[in-house]
Amino acid sequence: MDKYQAEQAQLPEQIDALERAMQEVRDTRQNAIQWADLMAEYAGIQELTAENLNLLVERIEVFDQAATDDEVEQTIRICYRFGGYIGERCFRAKVLNGHRRKGADNEKALLVS
């Protein structure tokens, strides 16, 4: 009898967990549909405008630069609406000593690769 009662007590928790998992699947599916619809609408864009960017991108994350003596590295991640992160891009720039811009006495020029 104790085993039966313990099992009965666990069933509502298991049902709640399964319902949450099913809702997550439904949300993921809906996000995928919305992302596909959005991409279909903007598949042939020729120019990136502020409106296009706001519709396609949820946020852009720019991380702190990591510098060595001759190189600077910075990572940028783009989180797309309904699609999440598709990838991240790491930019590296060589520090060119002796290359100064007019009016910039202490600045070093960067060559991005």
Side-chain angles (χ1 to χ4, degrees):
M1 188 69 158
D2 290 339
K3 184 177 175 183
Y4 174 77
Q5 288 176 341
E7 186 178 302
Q8 289 297 323
Q10 290 177 349
L11 287 177
E13 293 174 12
Q14 291 175 345
I15 290 170
D16 287 343
L18 289 171
E19 286 176 348
R20 283 192 305 273
M22 285 177 55
Q23 185 60 45
E24 190 174 314
V25 168
R26 282 192 292 268
D27 292 345
T28 300
R29 181 178 180 271
Q30 185 61 33
N31 283 346
I33 291 169
Q34 289 175 318
W35 175 249
D37 290 345
L38 192 59
M39 288 296 98
E41 185 177 338
Y42 288 93
I45 65 171
Q46 298 296 315
E47 180 181 351
L48 184 61
T49 64
E51 179 185 357
N52 294 345
L53 186 64
N54 287 329
L55 286 172
L56 297 173
V57 175
E58 184 174 319
R59 70 181 173 275
I60 299 172
E61 299 172 357
V62 180
F63 294 87
D64 290 337
Q65 292 181 349
T68 62
D69 289 338
D70 64 338
E71 194 171 82
V72 175
E73 182 176 295
Q74 188 164 24
T75 300
I76 298 174
R77 263 196 312 198
I78 300 173
C79 182
Y80 295 92
R81 291 196 188 281
F82 314 115
Y85 296 103
I86 294 178
E88 69 181 40
R89 177 70 195 245
C90 185
F91 294 93
R92 288 188 178 87
K94 292 274 186 202
V95 177
L96 303 175
N97 291 321
H99 289 76
R100 295 187 179 139
R101 295 181 301 179
K102 190 174 183 180
D105 294 331
N106 295 327
E107 291 187 18
K108 297 177 182 176
L110 298 177
L111 177 63
V112 178
S113 57

